[in-house]
Each structure stands twice: as structure tokens, then as C-alpha cells.
Amino acid sequence: MRTVKEISDLTGISVRTLHYYDEIGLLKPTDKSEAGYRLYDDKALETLQQILFFREFDISLKEIKAVIENPALEKKQILQMQRKMLVAKKERMERLIAGIDDILKGENKMDFEVFSKTELEDMYNSMEARMNEKQKAIFIEQYGSMEEWKKKFLENASTEAVQKNFQKVVEWYGSKEKAMEASKNPENTEIFPAYQKRLGEIVKKLADKKGQDVNSFEVKELVGEYDFVTKQMFQLPDAASMLLELAAAYRTNTEIQAVQDSIYGEGTTEFIGRAIEAFYQKK
């Protein structure tokens, strides 16, 4: 058994931090001495090593606790999870080192990669796991096999243009980790169409307001509802960046205007774009 002081000296973690981990139930001492001092065995030390590893990736204590306490996760699964994270970090470090080498050589190239090959493969595997047989059949018919579709997906997702789009998604979600989590855990497939239907109804109501002042209460109320549904639909903490990009496209993209205006009336798309921008202007 080791005391808190010994664990602190061994790992570099402060005594106060170890006390806090005990208070929140993240790392409970194995036993206590007769004097009431916390004592830890080798198993507790192993758990602490896992905690420290996850903290290296800025994972919250709440999320770490959920992983460690998950009865469905065995030690091997946790190690595999940590290995994937290490591989992804290693690939990122290698890209950064290569970028520095290029600068030192006078080749100042920009690295646009947001998601590594390992992360893209995880993204694809999650996507394929959610597909039903009918959806898979569509890709098999077009590409010959799911394996060929995977190759095409990874090839396209690695291009500079797509990686730049990924960067926008990361900005919307606030971090790459949150964006990955959202891609792996989308809303229920039955809920998503319901959100789409609701957004369509809001657009129709906005179309009926065309010609009104975009700063009027009625218009802003509808855009506010659009903002709320979008956040729920895409699991976003803030939908402003996404909807402002949409607004810019609505105001300037003639192809989008032609399609949407053919449904809701000429000038509707440009009006909705201005309404969205007005909604966020004073927030």
C-alpha cells in the first residue's frame, strides 16, 4: 500500500488533486490507515495511470469517470481506445514535425489536414455500422463493393478541399473531439427527419414574412426557432457560425436561390439570408 504522499511523489500529481479525485469518486483509496490516511494499492495506481493518460487529451473528469466505471468496457477495450488516441496524436505530431522540416528547408507549405487517416477510418466505420442493407446496396451498386466505397471515401476525405470543410465543422462544434463524437453518435434516424420537417415548416413561415422588416419580432422569433432546431438536430452548442455561412450562401449563391425560390417565391432565399444575419447581428 502507498500513501497519498508516496503516490504524489511517484506520479507528480499533487496531494490536493488526489484528494479531489477521491471527493468526486473518480479514484477512491483502496483503504485507510488507523489514523484515517488514504492508502492505495497497485490496482488503484493503474487506474490513476489511465486517468492521467486521458487527461493528456484534455478529456473532462466527468467523461473519464464514465469510461472507467462503464461495466461494458474491459481493460483491453480501454487500452485499445487509448492506443487509437495515441496513434492519432502521433500522426498529428509527425505532420507538425514534417511541416517544421519543410519550413527549415524553405518550403513553407500549409498543412490543411484536420482529421488524420486513423480518425477518418473511425468516422467511416461508424457510418457504415449505422447503414441498413438497403443503403449499403446503393454503394455496392455504384462502387462494386463496400471496400471500394471505403477507399473512395478515404481518398475524397483526405483532399485539401474536404479537409477545409472539416475545419468549418470543427469550428461549429467547438473542438475536433466534439465533432468526431457527433459524427459517431448522431441523433436517432427517426428524429432527424422530424427535425428536417420542422425546419422546412419554419422556412415556409419565413417565406410568408417576405417583405417585412428583418428586425421585426415576428421574423426574429422564427429565426430563433430555426436556430434552436438546428442546434438540436446537429447537437451543436452554438449554431451561429453554421447559419451565418448558410445566410451568406442564401444571399449570394444564385443556384441555391433559383432552387429555393422556385418553391417559396422569388426573393425568398435572399430575404431569409438577411433575416438570419439580422438575428445574430446584435447577439
Side-chain angles (χ1 to χ4, degrees):
M1 291 283 193
R2 294 182 174 86
T3 65
V4 171
K5 178 68 167 57
E6 290 172 331
I7 292 292
S8 177
D9 291 341
L10 184 65
T11 63
I13 301 302
S14 70
V15 171
R16 179 68 194 94
T17 298
L18 290 169
H19 286 178
Y20 179 65
Y21 287 175
D22 180 12
E23 291 169 13
I24 64 175
L26 180 60
L27 180 68
K28 305 293 290 183
T30 309
D31 202 352
K32 288 189 177 181
S33 68
E34 292 183 1
Y37 294 112
R38 297 171 175 85
L39 298 172
Y40 299 85
D41 62 9
D42 289 341
K43 186 175 181 181
L45 183 59
E46 184 179 296
T47 301
L48 178 58
Q49 288 174 329
Q50 292 177 348
I51 293 169
L52 297 180
F53 177 87
F54 282 122
R55 289 298 290 154
E56 281 291 318
F57 291 87
D58 296 323
I59 296 175
S60 71
L61 295 178
K62 182 179 178 181
E63 291 172 318
I64 295 172
K65 189 171 186 288
V67 170
I68 291 176
E69 293 181 350
N70 188 340
L73 288 177
E74 299 176 354
K75 179 181 176 181
K76 184 176 180 181
Q77 289 176 294
I78 293 177
L79 287 173
Q80 289 173 336
M81 183 190 309
Q82 293 174 334
R83 187 181 187 283
K84 281 187 177 181
M85 295 169 72
L86 273 177
V87 169
K89 186 172 184 178
K90 172 176 172 286
E91 290 178 351
R92 180 60 181 166
M93 291 301 102
E94 287 174 344
R95 292 197 305 274
L96 289 173
I97 292 170
I100 291 173
D101 288 342
D102 288 336
I103 293 173
L104 291 173
K105 294 174 185 175
E107 302 172 7
N108 191 1
K109 297 188 297 183
M110 291 293 291
D111 180 8
F112 292 100
E113 186 172 74
V114 177
F115 292 112
S116 68
K117 182 181 178 182
T118 299
E119 290 167 330
L120 291 174
E121 286 183 345
D122 282 348
M123 194 183 296
Y124 172 85
N125 291 335
S126 296
M127 178 177 64
E128 183 178 320
R130 297 194 306 269
M131 289 182 181
N132 57 41
E133 293 305 314
K134 186 176 180 180
Q135 290 170 326
K136 289 180 181 179
I138 295 173
F139 289 105
I140 292 173
E141 181 179 354
Q142 186 170 353
Y143 295 95
S145 68
M146 288 302 291
E147 186 60 35
E148 285 301 314
W149 159 235
K150 180 178 180 178
K151 289 180 182 178
K152 189 65 176 177
F153 172 86
L154 295 176
E155 180 184 323
N156 289 338
S158 299
T159 62
E160 182 178 313
V162 175
Q163 288 288 333
K164 284 183 176 179
N165 287 333
F166 281 147
Q167 183 60 53
K168 292 181 182 178
V169 175
V170 168
E171 290 172 4
W172 295 339
Y173 282 96
S175 72
K176 189 169 78 170
E177 290 70 26
K178 290 179 181 178
M180 282 291 290
E181 184 64 23
S183 73
K184 292 181 179 180
N185 300 286
E187 288 290 328
N188 186 291
T189 52
E190 296 178 359
I191 297 176
F192 200 84
Y195 283 143
Q196 289 179 310
K197 182 179 179 182
R198 189 171 171 189
L199 288 178
E201 291 170 351
I202 297 170
V203 169
K204 186 176 180 181
K205 290 178 182 178
L206 279 169
D208 292 338
K209 302 294 181 183
K210 184 182 65 176
Q212 287 193 19
D213 183 352
V214 293
N215 290 298
S216 67
F217 174 78
E218 293 84 355
V219 173
K220 287 203 168 187
E221 184 179 33
L222 286 170
V223 178
E225 186 180 358
Y226 198 103
D227 171 272
F228 173 77
V229 176
T230 300
K231 285 189 287 190
Q232 297 298 311
M233 184 176 183
F234 295 103
Q235 306 170 59
L236 287 169
D238 186 350
S241 296
M242 176 186 282
L243 293 186
L244 283 171
E245 286 195 28
L246 178 67
Y250 275 10
R251 288 193 305 99
T252 61
N253 190 310
T254 55
E255 292 181 2
I256 294 176
Q257 290 173 353
V259 173
Q260 188 153 273
D261 285 359
S262 67
I263 301 172
Y264 298 106
E266 186 177 352
T268 297
T269 307
E270 191 270 342
F271 167 76
I272 294 175
R274 287 191 293 108
I276 292 173
E277 289 179 340
F279 178 81
Y280 292 110
Q281 190 172 11
K282 296 181 180 180
K283 290 189 69 174

